[in-house]
Amino acid sequence: MRKRHLGSYAAVIVFAVPFLLPFYLLVRNALMSKRELGSLDWHWWPETISFQGFADAFGNEAVPLAHALWNSTLISAISAPLSTLLASMAGYALARIPVAASKPAFFFIIATMMVPGAATFIPTFVVVGSLGGVNTMWGLIVPGLFSAFAVLLFRGFYLRFPRELEDAGRVDGLGYLGLYGRLALPNSGALFASLGILSFIEHWNAFLWPLVIGQDPEFWTVQVALSTNLNQQAVNMPALFAGALVAILPLVALFLIAQRWIVRGVLLTGIKG
Amino acid sequence: MTTAAPPRPATGRPRRAAGRRAARWPAWRAFLLLTLPMVAGLFLFKYVAIGWGFLLSFNDARGTIALGDWNGLENYRRLLGDPAFTRSLVTILLFTLFIVPVTFALSLGLAVLVNRLRGGRAFFRTTFFIPAAVSYVVGALVWKMSLFSGTPSGVANSLAYLLGYEESIGWVATVDPPLYWIVLVTVRLWLQTGFYMILFLAGIQQIPAQLYEAARVDGAESEGRLFRHITWPMLRNTSVAVVLLLIINAFQAFDEFYNILASNLSGLGGADGRTPLIYLFQTALGEQNYGAGSAGAFVVTVLIVVFTLLQGRFAGFGRTAEEEG
């Protein structure tokens, strides 16, 4: 019995090393000097810790990293709560308001899940472009606000919402909007938090759409800025890794703090992996 | 006289109907207020977009996104006749056929392994899951510039040196043999395995412990038999969902191919290593050919839908075989 457990630990450690290695490389490379990182020999750790990479990453005028970080923060901070709220509104209405349009509206929303997201970036670009959304903040944000899958999850959640609570609210004179705003929404905090966090991650890490729609450096997100640096001719390596480290820190922190909610949300959804 | 007319049952009905109508208008109003933003958004950015794209795919739309220059199936004919596009389809097909089973096996194996641990389960779960917080761009950067960089101090080259290879290998730039595939496949494994491990882990933890106890009573002692007879069949729904998600995500590969190969695309024997989405990105945004780009978007969409339906069919066959057997 004990032997078998030792075997499990040996195996799990063997797998854990390659999973942690890239994080170690990110930190190590960000803290090395250009000369040391460019040298031909392997170094486990920088001889002298250098923060020049961070200074270079933020000092590069061709790739405004600070501004890109600000854009990403803005986009994610607006998109995550707003898209989750929109999904919860629609989910509640579909689950709890008995009107004839309920079923057709449900199918109208769910049918969009059949179409794979990334394959629609050209049609969506055509529509957003014709509305003047290229190189605008709304062009970056608005098309990503509508998630049929989140509607599906919220609808399922509200279908199981206790009727007695609603009846009590109705006695107190609440209409459907009141029931949603005062009772249903405040009581869906757990689902709201987990889907909101997942949405934040998704928007923070998005690459294709920001690349397509925010072509002007003023509208670059942090992922587009990193990619631009990566594909430059002469790459300042410590700066590249310093920028990447800065870009993943908020999300890694979010992951470690809110892991319970994230796991819950992942189980509910199945967004980009 | 008219006022004294006895109330007839019929008069009650319109009044009730009026009352119901009065009660239903707030319901309608609330329904519209709550669903309209979502419905309008999906209408504009999905339905209108897809409809427009579909029409545009039959137009000669170069440098314009306006309809009006009808050219029938010309975009599709040119697209399917372009070896770069068909090669990108082969690329993504091979990539999918490889990455789906490997990720599946690795994430399932890690889930079983982590679940067996007595202590430190949370630590190892986090270890495997945390790469899911990292974007594909950052993953590509670490892989291209550090792990598999062509310099002697790259991790892969340092390891190769320890194993006796004196020359440093240009992983990303080597097409024959296709070493760049190792770079592309491992970065995706690192980024996505933990996510699917979480799905399997949750599935495993939902299996009632009594099933295992009953099996042990029946003499099934070995871990392998317990896995084959209980864990695996009980994970059926999770497995189907995982394969589905893996296929959809594999077909939409863009970020890591773009960032690992972009500046090397010309060096890779033309279009080698381009995925359909990269091809379409270059067609639509590079050449401003929105007609061909739209046509390609539909070809890719149809491919994904067909593949996912096929997967559903196979999973369905599996079930009937299981029930019959």
Side-chain angles (χ1 to χ4, degrees):
Chain A
M1 198 68 183
R2 179 163 292 169
K3 216 178 202 174
R4 203 154 63 204
H5 279 288
L6 278 179
S8 294
Y9 280 101
V12 87
I13 287 167
V14 164
F15 279 109
V17 169
F19 272 80
L20 291 174
L21 181 69
F23 291 108
Y24 154 75
L25 289 172
L26 260 172
V27 176
R28 186 199 72 151
N29 293 0
L31 294 176
M32 272 186 174
S33 67
K34 219 190 274 185
R35 185 188 48 80
E36 194 180 6
L37 190 50
S39 89
L40 300 184
D41 297 321
W42 172 258
H43 297 267
W44 280 103
W45 199 248
E47 281 168 8
T48 49
I49 288 179
S50 158
F51 291 98
Q52 190 58 39
F54 292 90
D56 289 351
F58 284 99
N60 182 356
E61 274 169 28
V63 182
L65 183 64
H67 191 68
L69 275 164
W70 168 244
N71 283 344
S72 286
T73 308
L74 205 62
I75 291 167
S76 308
I78 293 174
S79 301
L82 199 55
S83 69
T84 314
L85 181 70
L86 290 176
S88 119
M89 283 163 49
Y92 177 79
L94 292 173
R96 281 308 177 88
I97 304 183
V99 297
S102 189
K103 237 186 197 139
F106 180 62
F107 283 117
F108 182 88
I109 292 171
I110 294 309
T112 60
M113 283 169 53
M114 294 277 290
V115 191
T120 59
F121 78 91
I122 292 171
T124 312
F125 176 80
V126 167
V127 165
V128 175
S130 73
L131 295 173
V134 178
N135 287 326
T136 63
M137 219 49 191
W138 78 258
L140 280 159
I141 293 174
V142 176
L145 292 180
F146 309 100
S147 161
F149 204 84
V151 176
L152 188 69
L153 295 173
F154 271 111
R155 178 177 168 273
F157 175 82
Y158 289 127
L159 278 175
R160 294 188 304 268
F161 194 68
R163 290 239 174 239
E164 303 80 54
L165 211 59
E166 272 198 343
D167 289 339
R170 212 170 268 129
V171 170
D172 287 346
L174 291 179
Y176 281 109
L177 290 177
L179 289 174
Y180 167 69
R182 299 274 191 86
L183 285 176
L185 183 62
N187 279 298
S188 47
L191 183 60
F192 204 97
S194 57
L195 290 182
I197 291 170
L198 281 179
S199 172
F200 191 95
I201 296 167
E202 197 185 344
H203 284 103
W204 184 272
N205 284 340
F207 177 61
L208 177 54
W209 183 251
L211 181 70
V212 165
I213 208 75
Q215 298 163 1
D216 190 286
E218 196 190 329
F219 295 97
W220 282 352
T221 64
V222 67
Q223 310 298 342
V224 175
L226 287 176
S227 169
T228 309
N229 268 335
L230 178 60
N231 290 311
Q232 263 170 1
Q233 284 303 315
V235 181
N236 180 338
M237 294 268 283
L240 192 60
F241 284 93
L245 192 60
V246 172
I248 69 163
L249 274 181
L251 277 203
V252 170
L254 184 69
F255 245 61
L256 294 176
I257 294 166
Q259 188 165 179
R260 200 159 58 94
W261 302 110
I262 296 167
V263 169
R264 209 188 126 107
V266 165
L267 298 180
L268 290 170
T269 66
I271 56 149
K272 174 152 181 140
Chain B
M1 258 198 37
T2 47
T3 49
R8 288 177 299 162
T11 55
R13 222 185 301 155
R15 197 179 300 147
R16 233 191 359 249
R20 197 159 59 207
R21 208 178 301 135
R24 282 179 73 179
W25 167 235
W28 270 102
R29 199 181 50 192
F31 184 83
L32 287 177
L33 278 172
L34 290 174
T35 54
L36 209 59
M38 182 60 68
V39 168
L42 289 176
F43 177 72
L44 186 58
F45 296 115
K46 294 283 178 187
Y47 286 90
V48 170
I50 291 162
W52 193 338
F54 190 61
L55 292 177
L56 208 56
S57 72
F58 301 109
N59 282 263
D60 185 17
R62 268 180 264 198
T64 172
I65 50 177
L67 301 168
D69 201 352
W70 184 264
N71 69 354
L73 290 172
E74 184 54 32
N75 285 329
Y76 289 91
R77 200 175 301 135
R78 200 176 304 162
L79 202 63
L80 295 171
D82 181 357
F85 183 67
T86 44
R87 202 157 50 210
S88 80
L89 293 180
V90 173
T91 298
I92 204 67
L93 212 64
L94 290 175
F95 182 69
T96 303
L97 288 175
F98 185 80
I99 201 78
V100 171
V102 173
T103 310
F104 185 95
L106 190 58
S107 54
L108 177 58
L110 286 178
V112 171
L113 199 60
V114 169
N115 189 57
R116 281 176 55 171
L117 300 179
R118 286 244 178 107
R121 203 188 277 182
F123 172 80
F124 285 105
R125 194 190 60 196
T126 306
T127 299
F128 296 126
F129 187 41
I130 200 93
V134 179
S135 73
Y136 275 69
V137 180
V138 172
L141 183 156
V142 175
W143 253 247
K144 182 182 178 178
M145 292 308 202
S146 194
L147 263 177
F148 288 100
S149 71
T151 63
S153 60
V155 175
N157 278 338
S158 297
L159 272 176
Y161 184 79
L162 285 180
L163 296 173
Y165 292 93
E166 299 278 324
E167 279 172 52
S168 45
I169 303 161
W171 297 89
V172 174
T174 308
V175 181
D176 189 23
L179 293 180
Y180 68 100
W181 272 106
I182 298 176
V183 186
L184 291 166
V185 165
T186 48
V187 71
R188 185 166 275 247
L189 282 176
W190 181 65
L191 286 161
Q192 74 177 5
T193 299
F195 173 86
Y196 296 100
M197 180 204 69
I198 291 286
L199 293 185
F200 278 125
L201 205 53
I204 290 172
Q205 281 163 5
Q206 271 159 14
I207 301 173
Q210 298 97 291
L211 282 181
Y212 290 102
E213 284 157 25
R216 285 210 187 86
V217 170
D218 290 348
E221 249 306 324
S222 82
E223 296 277 338
R225 286 185 67 175
L226 289 176
F227 178 82
R228 213 167 43 243
H229 292 298
I230 296 170
T231 314
W232 176 249
M234 291 297 283
L235 284 179
R236 202 178 165 283
N237 288 337
T238 311
S239 303
V240 172
V242 166
V243 174
L244 200 77
L245 288 169
L246 279 171
I247 292 175
I248 293 174
N249 285 331
F251 261 105
Q252 302 191 37
F254 178 86
D255 300 9
E256 76 270 45
F257 282 79
Y258 180 90
N259 285 298
I260 289 176
L261 299 181
S263 51
N264 299 66
L265 284 177
S266 51
L268 283 177
D272 261 316
R274 259 202 275 185
T275 73
L277 290 199
I278 291 180
Y279 179 93
L280 296 177
F281 175 83
Q282 289 171 344
T283 304
L285 287 121
E287 300 164 25
Q288 307 275 303
N289 190 343
Y290 298 104
S294 301
F298 278 92
V299 174
V300 174
T301 303
V302 168
L303 255 178
I304 299 177
V305 171
V306 166
F307 238 70
T308 43
L309 287 180
L310 269 180
Q311 190 261 343
R313 271 309 269 282
F314 281 127
F317 283 141
R319 179 164 49 212
T320 47
E322 218 171 79
E323 279 160 9
E324 281 160 12

